[in-house]
Amino acid sequence: MSITALIAPQLPLLRRYARALSGSQASGDNHVVAMLEALVADQSAFDRSLEPRVAVYALFSSVWNANPMNRLIDEAASAATADRRIEAITPLPRQAFLLTAVEGFSPWDAATILGVDADTFAELLAEASRQIGEQVSSRVLVIEDEPIIAM
């Protein structure tokens, strides 16, 4: 089967992932185009030993992570309380979270996509959970003169 036939059905889902990862459709699409250009330049980059969807995401991940700007933390998003989004999660844990929670990959496939072992992937997912928990946590002050009611 041709590489085109293997990749074409994956592109709509990959575009959704790229949008979620980058924060905008234009940026996500640019990264998908960069992946396709890398594939045209070197067809051996597509790992035919993997299931096609996993192979496409793995190739995209390698292109995404090769860009130094994609490894930076968005300080503005992580600092702004009113604008807390997925971009506030550090890059690799964000990818691990999106691959499993949004794209529905098993932890094993997501680890393969990111090129990490199972233990490292579990740590990335735990870190994403911790960071998401920090975003939604809040402090509450209860003012009540009756101790039992206050509890």
Side-chain angles (χ1 to χ4, degrees):
M1 185 176 272
S2 73
I3 290 179
T4 303
L6 294 172
I7 291 177
Q10 312 309 323
L11 291 179
L13 299 173
L14 184 64
R15 288 183 65 224
R16 175 184 66 193
Y17 173 68
R19 180 181 191 276
L21 199 53
S22 68
S24 79
Q25 191 67 59
S27 177
D29 286 346
N30 288 337
H31 282 86
V32 171
V33 168
M35 180 211 67
L36 293 172
E37 289 172 347
L39 186 59
V40 168
D42 180 16
Q43 289 190 4
S44 68
F46 185 80
D47 188 349
R48 287 182 175 263
S49 69
L50 299 173
E51 187 265 323
R53 185 166 181 234
V54 173
V56 168
Y57 278 72
L59 180 58
F60 177 82
S61 182
S62 67
V63 169
W64 174 270
N65 290 322
N67 183 343
M69 294 302 294
N70 293 335
R71 292 191 302 265
L72 299 176
I73 300 169
D74 186 351
E75 296 295 335
S78 60
T81 56
D83 199 20
R84 291 183 177 168
R85 303 179 302 244
I86 194 76
E87 291 89 0
I89 302 173
T90 51
L92 278 175
R94 177 178 6 153
Q95 291 174 61
F97 172 75
L98 290 172
L99 286 169
T100 55
V102 176
E103 297 303 317
F105 283 104
S106 70
W108 174 257
D109 285 342
T112 301
I113 290 167
L114 294 178
V116 299
D117 60 40
D119 291 336
T120 303
F121 184 79
E123 291 171 10
L124 291 172
L125 211 48
E127 178 62 18
S129 295
R130 186 190 64 74
Q131 290 180 23
I132 290 169
E134 286 177 359
Q135 288 184 22
V136 296
S137 68
S138 60
R139 301 183 104 180
V140 176
L141 174 63
V142 176
I143 301 174
E144 176 59 52
D145 58 353
E146 290 292 325
I148 293 182
I149 294 173
M151 291 176 14

